[in-house]
Amino acid sequence: MPTASAGPRLIIMCGLPGSGKTTLAKLLESRLGAIRFSPDEWMDALSLNLYDEEKRAKIEALQWKLSQELLAYGLIVIIEWGTWGRSERDTLRLGARALGAAVELHYLSVPEDVLFDRIQRRDLERPPIEREALSRWFAIFQAPTPEEMALFDEPLIANVVADPASGRS
Ligand SMILES: Nc1ncnc2c1ncn2[C@@H]1O[C@H](COP(=O)(O)OP(=O)(O)OP(=O)(O)O)[C@@H](O)[C@H]1O
Ligand SMILES: [Mg+2]
């Protein structure tokens, strides 16, 4: 049963591949009655290569445009793009606040070894993500600092552990 909406709200998932963004986003989607935007799912539906960064950027821009329209209607929107960079997260936070929306940031911090293990088990990407690529991404990922986290609103549902084995994710 979705929780009653307390007004427009943007929920941002932040984390590297395999950190659990989609798993948690699906849980929050069903609990909050939110609209979830996943670039991977749209790319898959359009038969696009998940490594096509140009198309991914276009899809994210389209999803952000739709997100802002839905926030203006007072809805809860979840975006799960990874949001690796501080400036990208700033743009989303300020854009949502300009529409009168609350903004949550869920940072999924997972050790590199665990990420690689999960990515291998999931077996989604073709070709598979290589260990070396993951190490490079780890180095460029800008983890949110406590100072940045303080700029966001308290989550409606906090400390939720999305258990992929429960079948609800
Ligand atoms: N809390 C968790 N504990 C253990 N395994 C998890 C957890 N969350 C997700 N997983 C598993 O890890 C794998 C990756 O999770 P998920 O697809 O949600 O990550 P993601 O951040 O969306 O990755 P990507 O950026 O590649 O889309 C999945 O197989 C999922 O079942
Ligand atoms: Mg995902």
Side-chain angles (χ1 to χ4, degrees), residues 15-24 40 80 82 108 118-119 121-122 124-125 129 161-164 169:
L16 286 161
S19 59
K21 298 180 298 295
T22 301
T23 306
L24 177 59
D40 284 356
E80 43 159 297
L108 296 150
R118 285 189 194 171
I119 290 167
R121 282 171 198 267
R122 184 181 61 177
L124 177 74
E125 286 83 9
I129 292 173
V161 177
D163 178 2
S169 58

mmCIF file of all heavy atoms in Angstrom, residues 15-24 40 80 82 108 118-119 121-122 124-125 129 161-164 169, ligand 1:
data_model
loop_
_atom_site.group_PDB
_atom_site.id
_atom_site.type_symbol
_atom_site.label_atom_id
_atom_site.label_comp_id
_atom_site.label_asym_id
_atom_site.label_seq_id
_atom_site.Cartn_x
_atom_site.Cartn_y
_atom_site.Cartn_z
ATOM 1 N N GLY A 15 25.270 5.840 -6.861
ATOM 2 C CA GLY A 15 26.160 4.714 -6.614
ATOM 3 C C GLY A 15 26.670 4.109 -7.909
ATOM 4 O O GLY A 15 26.088 4.308 -8.974
ATOM 5 N N LEU A 16 27.731 3.357 -7.794
ATOM 6 C CA LEU A 16 28.362 2.713 -8.952
ATOM 7 C C LEU A 16 27.529 1.521 -9.435
ATOM 8 O O LEU A 16 26.604 1.081 -8.732
ATOM 9 C CB LEU A 16 29.770 2.267 -8.566
ATOM 10 C CG LEU A 16 30.781 3.425 -8.460
ATOM 11 C CD1 LEU A 16 31.998 2.998 -7.651
ATOM 12 C CD2 LEU A 16 31.191 3.902 -9.848
ATOM 13 N N PRO A 17 27.845 0.981 -10.607
ATOM 14 C CA PRO A 17 27.119 -0.198 -11.092
ATOM 15 C C PRO A 17 27.182 -1.339 -10.062
ATOM 16 O O PRO A 17 28.237 -1.610 -9.492
ATOM 17 C CB PRO A 17 27.873 -0.585 -12.371
ATOM 18 C CG PRO A 17 28.481 0.685 -12.841
ATOM 19 C CD PRO A 17 28.830 1.458 -11.589
ATOM 20 N N GLY A 18 26.035 -1.960 -9.828
ATOM 21 C CA GLY A 18 25.975 -3.085 -8.902
ATOM 22 C C GLY A 18 25.771 -2.678 -7.451
ATOM 23 O O GLY A 18 25.678 -3.534 -6.574
ATOM 24 N N SER A 19 25.686 -1.371 -7.195
ATOM 25 C CA SER A 19 25.569 -0.932 -5.794
ATOM 26 C C SER A 19 24.170 -1.145 -5.233
ATOM 27 O O SER A 19 23.965 -1.011 -4.025
ATOM 28 C CB SER A 19 25.999 0.540 -5.661
ATOM 29 O OG SER A 19 25.203 1.368 -6.480
ATOM 30 N N GLY A 20 23.198 -1.435 -6.105
ATOM 31 C CA GLY A 20 21.846 -1.733 -5.611
ATOM 32 C C GLY A 20 20.833 -0.627 -5.853
ATOM 33 O O GLY A 20 19.764 -0.619 -5.237
ATOM 34 N N LYS A 21 21.129 0.272 -6.778
ATOM 35 C CA LYS A 21 20.213 1.402 -7.048
ATOM 36 C C LYS A 21 18.841 0.920 -7.524
ATOM 37 O O LYS A 21 17.812 1.334 -6.997
ATOM 38 C CB LYS A 21 20.819 2.341 -8.111
ATOM 39 C CG LYS A 21 22.125 2.989 -7.698
ATOM 40 C CD LYS A 21 22.669 3.892 -8.769
ATOM 41 C CE LYS A 21 23.002 3.190 -10.065
ATOM 42 N NZ LYS A 21 24.108 2.223 -9.932
ATOM 43 N N THR A 22 18.845 0.048 -8.529
ATOM 44 C CA THR A 22 17.568 -0.427 -9.081
ATOM 45 C C THR A 22 16.788 -1.223 -8.041
ATOM 46 O O THR A 22 15.576 -1.066 -7.902
ATOM 47 C CB THR A 22 17.829 -1.288 -10.336
ATOM 48 O OG1 THR A 22 18.520 -0.485 -11.290
ATOM 49 C CG2 THR A 22 16.532 -1.785 -10.948
ATOM 50 N N THR A 23 17.498 -2.050 -7.303
ATOM 51 C CA THR A 23 16.840 -2.882 -6.281
ATOM 52 C C THR A 23 16.130 -2.001 -5.251
ATOM 53 O O THR A 23 14.956 -2.206 -4.939
ATOM 54 C CB THR A 23 17.891 -3.775 -5.589
ATOM 55 O OG1 THR A 23 18.590 -4.513 -6.593
ATOM 56 C CG2 THR A 23 17.250 -4.729 -4.627
ATOM 57 N N LEU A 24 16.852 -0.997 -4.750
ATOM 58 C CA LEU A 24 16.251 -0.108 -3.747
ATOM 59 C C LEU A 24 15.174 0.777 -4.378
ATOM 60 O O LEU A 24 14.110 1.006 -3.781
ATOM 61 C CB LEU A 24 17.350 0.756 -3.104
ATOM 62 C CG LEU A 24 16.869 1.787 -2.084
ATOM 63 C CD1 LEU A 24 16.122 1.115 -0.934
ATOM 64 C CD2 LEU A 24 18.045 2.606 -1.539
ATOM 65 N N ASP A 40 18.658 2.326 -18.057
ATOM 66 C CA ASP A 40 18.926 0.971 -18.563
ATOM 67 C C ASP A 40 17.653 0.325 -19.112
ATOM 68 O O ASP A 40 17.671 -0.319 -20.164
ATOM 69 C CB ASP A 40 19.473 0.075 -17.439
ATOM 70 C CG ASP A 40 20.923 0.364 -17.121
ATOM 71 O OD1 ASP A 40 21.527 1.198 -17.826
ATOM 72 O OD2 ASP A 40 21.452 -0.226 -16.171
ATOM 73 N N GLU A 80 17.363 6.888 -11.145
ATOM 74 C CA GLU A 80 18.454 5.961 -10.783
ATOM 75 C C GLU A 80 19.507 5.948 -11.883
ATOM 76 O O GLU A 80 19.712 4.954 -12.550
ATOM 77 C CB GLU A 80 17.902 4.562 -10.496
ATOM 78 C CG GLU A 80 16.859 4.066 -11.466
ATOM 79 C CD GLU A 80 16.742 2.555 -11.436
ATOM 80 O OE1 GLU A 80 17.729 1.897 -11.781
ATOM 81 O OE2 GLU A 80 15.670 2.054 -11.092
ATOM 82 N N GLY A 82 22.733 6.797 -11.367
ATOM 83 C CA GLY A 82 24.095 6.660 -10.846
ATOM 84 C C GLY A 82 24.586 7.946 -10.222
ATOM 85 O O GLY A 82 25.171 7.930 -9.170
ATOM 86 N N LEU A 108 24.546 4.702 -2.109
ATOM 87 C CA LEU A 108 24.796 3.277 -1.861
ATOM 88 C C LEU A 108 26.297 3.021 -1.965
ATOM 89 O O LEU A 108 26.852 2.955 -3.055
ATOM 90 C CB LEU A 108 24.007 2.444 -2.876
ATOM 91 C CG LEU A 108 22.492 2.617 -2.696
ATOM 92 C CD1 LEU A 108 21.762 2.461 -4.003
ATOM 93 C CD2 LEU A 108 21.965 1.669 -1.667
ATOM 94 N N ARG A 118 28.840 -8.867 -7.428
ATOM 95 C CA ARG A 118 27.413 -8.724 -7.768
ATOM 96 C C ARG A 118 27.200 -8.553 -9.271
ATOM 97 O O ARG A 118 26.277 -9.135 -9.851
ATOM 98 C CB ARG A 118 26.836 -7.489 -7.076
ATOM 99 C CG ARG A 118 26.593 -7.672 -5.610
ATOM 100 C CD ARG A 118 25.820 -6.468 -5.128
ATOM 101 N NE ARG A 118 25.806 -6.348 -3.691
ATOM 102 C CZ ARG A 118 25.339 -5.275 -3.052
ATOM 103 N NH1 ARG A 118 24.886 -4.249 -3.743
ATOM 104 N NH2 ARG A 118 25.328 -5.227 -1.744
ATOM 105 N N ILE A 119 28.085 -7.745 -9.893
ATOM 106 C CA ILE A 119 27.945 -7.494 -11.334
ATOM 107 C C ILE A 119 28.119 -8.799 -12.110
ATOM 108 O O ILE A 119 27.390 -9.083 -13.060
ATOM 109 C CB ILE A 119 28.989 -6.439 -11.787
ATOM 110 C CG1 ILE A 119 28.628 -5.058 -11.237
ATOM 111 C CG2 ILE A 119 29.085 -6.389 -13.307
ATOM 112 C CD1 ILE A 119 29.739 -4.038 -11.371
ATOM 113 N N ARG A 121 27.603 -11.882 -11.000
ATOM 114 C CA ARG A 121 26.456 -12.761 -10.749
ATOM 115 C C ARG A 121 25.233 -12.310 -11.548
ATOM 116 O O ARG A 121 24.472 -13.127 -12.047
ATOM 117 C CB ARG A 121 26.080 -12.747 -9.266
ATOM 118 C CG ARG A 121 26.964 -13.576 -8.399
ATOM 119 C CD ARG A 121 26.602 -13.282 -6.947
ATOM 120 N NE ARG A 121 27.666 -13.696 -6.061
ATOM 121 C CZ ARG A 121 27.722 -14.891 -5.480
ATOM 122 N NH1 ARG A 121 26.795 -15.764 -5.712
ATOM 123 N NH2 ARG A 121 28.715 -15.190 -4.690
ATOM 124 N N ARG A 122 25.049 -10.956 -11.612
ATOM 125 C CA ARG A 122 23.873 -10.426 -12.304
ATOM 126 C C ARG A 122 23.943 -10.735 -13.794
ATOM 127 O O ARG A 122 22.921 -10.985 -14.430
ATOM 128 C CB ARG A 122 23.795 -8.907 -12.060
ATOM 129 C CG ARG A 122 22.563 -8.272 -12.650
ATOM 130 C CD ARG A 122 22.553 -6.781 -12.394
ATOM 131 N NE ARG A 122 23.710 -6.093 -12.993
ATOM 132 C CZ ARG A 122 23.897 -4.793 -12.965
ATOM 133 N NH1 ARG A 122 23.042 -4.027 -12.348
ATOM 134 N NH2 ARG A 122 24.957 -4.253 -13.533
ATOM 135 N N LEU A 124 24.421 -8.984 -16.596
ATOM 136 C CA LEU A 124 23.512 -8.173 -17.412
ATOM 137 C C LEU A 124 24.197 -7.592 -18.653
ATOM 138 O O LEU A 124 23.627 -7.579 -19.738
ATOM 139 C CB LEU A 124 22.955 -7.030 -16.540
ATOM 140 C CG LEU A 124 22.032 -6.010 -17.194
ATOM 141 C CD1 LEU A 124 20.664 -6.635 -17.448
ATOM 142 C CD2 LEU A 124 21.864 -4.773 -16.298
ATOM 143 N N GLU A 125 25.429 -7.102 -18.485
ATOM 144 C CA GLU A 125 26.082 -6.355 -19.558
ATOM 145 C C GLU A 125 26.718 -7.267 -20.598
ATOM 146 O O GLU A 125 27.215 -8.339 -20.284
ATOM 147 C CB GLU A 125 27.162 -5.412 -18.978
ATOM 148 C CG GLU A 125 26.605 -4.184 -18.280
ATOM 149 C CD GLU A 125 26.188 -4.449 -16.842
ATOM 150 O OE1 GLU A 125 26.484 -5.555 -16.329
ATOM 151 O OE2 GLU A 125 25.551 -3.575 -16.225
ATOM 152 N N ILE A 129 31.208 -6.214 -17.718
ATOM 153 C CA ILE A 129 32.054 -5.168 -17.140
ATOM 154 C C ILE A 129 33.344 -5.807 -16.638
ATOM 155 O O ILE A 129 33.317 -6.829 -15.944
ATOM 156 C CB ILE A 129 31.311 -4.464 -15.975
ATOM 157 C CG1 ILE A 129 30.123 -3.661 -16.523
ATOM 158 C CG2 ILE A 129 32.256 -3.564 -15.191
ATOM 159 C CD1 ILE A 129 29.226 -3.055 -15.455
ATOM 160 N N VAL A 161 16.710 -1.751 3.889
ATOM 161 C CA VAL A 161 17.644 -2.666 3.237
ATOM 162 C C VAL A 161 16.849 -3.450 2.205
ATOM 163 O O VAL A 161 15.964 -4.231 2.561
ATOM 164 C CB VAL A 161 18.316 -3.623 4.247
ATOM 165 C CG1 VAL A 161 19.221 -4.600 3.515
ATOM 166 C CG2 VAL A 161 19.095 -2.829 5.262
ATOM 167 N N ALA A 162 17.160 -3.199 0.944
ATOM 168 C CA ALA A 162 16.468 -3.903 -0.126
ATOM 169 C C ALA A 162 17.059 -5.295 -0.243
ATOM 170 O O ALA A 162 18.232 -5.457 -0.558
ATOM 171 C CB ALA A 162 16.629 -3.133 -1.425
ATOM 172 N N ASP A 163 16.275 -6.285 0.062
ATOM 173 C CA ASP A 163 16.757 -7.659 0.002
ATOM 174 C C ASP A 163 16.331 -8.272 -1.332
ATOM 175 O O ASP A 163 15.152 -8.555 -1.538
ATOM 176 C CB ASP A 163 16.170 -8.447 1.175
ATOM 177 C CG ASP A 163 16.603 -9.913 1.128
ATOM 178 O OD1 ASP A 163 17.369 -10.264 0.214
ATOM 179 O OD2 ASP A 163 16.169 -10.674 2.006
ATOM 180 N N PRO A 164 17.283 -8.463 -2.267
ATOM 181 C CA PRO A 164 16.926 -8.968 -3.594
ATOM 182 C C PRO A 164 16.269 -10.344 -3.526
ATOM 183 O O PRO A 164 15.552 -10.740 -4.433
ATOM 184 C CB PRO A 164 18.259 -9.049 -4.334
ATOM 185 C CG PRO A 164 19.234 -8.307 -3.509
ATOM 186 C CD PRO A 164 18.721 -8.309 -2.106
ATOM 187 N N SER A 169 11.850 -6.802 -4.841
ATOM 188 C CA SER A 169 12.665 -5.784 -5.482
ATOM 189 C C SER A 169 12.496 -5.822 -6.991
ATOM 190 O O SER A 169 12.030 -6.770 -7.545
ATOM 191 C CB SER A 169 14.126 -5.979 -5.140
ATOM 192 O OG SER A 169 14.549 -7.250 -5.537
HETATM 193 N N1 LIG B 1 21.538 -5.013 -0.497
HETATM 194 C C1 LIG B 1 21.940 -5.974 -1.361
HETATM 195 N N2 LIG B 1 22.555 -7.070 -0.919
HETATM 196 C C2 LIG B 1 22.977 -8.039 -1.762
HETATM 197 N N3 LIG B 1 22.800 -8.007 -3.102
HETATM 198 C C3 LIG B 1 22.198 -6.927 -3.594
HETATM 199 C C4 LIG B 1 21.732 -5.848 -2.764
HETATM 200 N N4 LIG B 1 21.161 -4.904 -3.566
HETATM 201 C C5 LIG B 1 21.267 -5.377 -4.818
HETATM 202 N N5 LIG B 1 21.861 -6.589 -4.848
HETATM 203 C C6 LIG B 1 22.136 -7.408 -6.026
HETATM 204 O O1 LIG B 1 23.235 -6.822 -6.695
HETATM 205 C C7 LIG B 1 23.016 -6.815 -8.107
HETATM 206 C C8 LIG B 1 23.057 -5.387 -8.568
HETATM 207 O O2 LIG B 1 21.945 -4.671 -8.013
HETATM 208 P P1 LIG B 1 21.219 -3.550 -8.866
HETATM 209 O O3 LIG B 1 20.931 -4.048 -10.243
HETATM 210 O O4 LIG B 1 20.074 -3.068 -8.032
HETATM 211 O O5 LIG B 1 22.374 -2.453 -8.911
HETATM 212 P P2 LIG B 1 22.431 -1.086 -9.713
HETATM 213 O O6 LIG B 1 23.095 -0.102 -8.803
HETATM 214 O O7 LIG B 1 21.082 -0.737 -10.211
HETATM 215 O O8 LIG B 1 23.412 -1.405 -10.909
HETATM 216 P P3 LIG B 1 23.518 -0.648 -12.336
HETATM 217 O O9 LIG B 1 24.105 0.703 -12.086
HETATM 218 O O10 LIG B 1 24.434 -1.505 -13.139
HETATM 219 O O11 LIG B 1 22.135 -0.578 -12.909
HETATM 220 C C9 LIG B 1 21.662 -7.475 -8.358
HETATM 221 O O12 LIG B 1 21.881 -8.809 -8.746
HETATM 222 C C10 LIG B 1 20.973 -7.395 -7.003
HETATM 223 O O13 LIG B 1 20.106 -8.493 -6.840
#
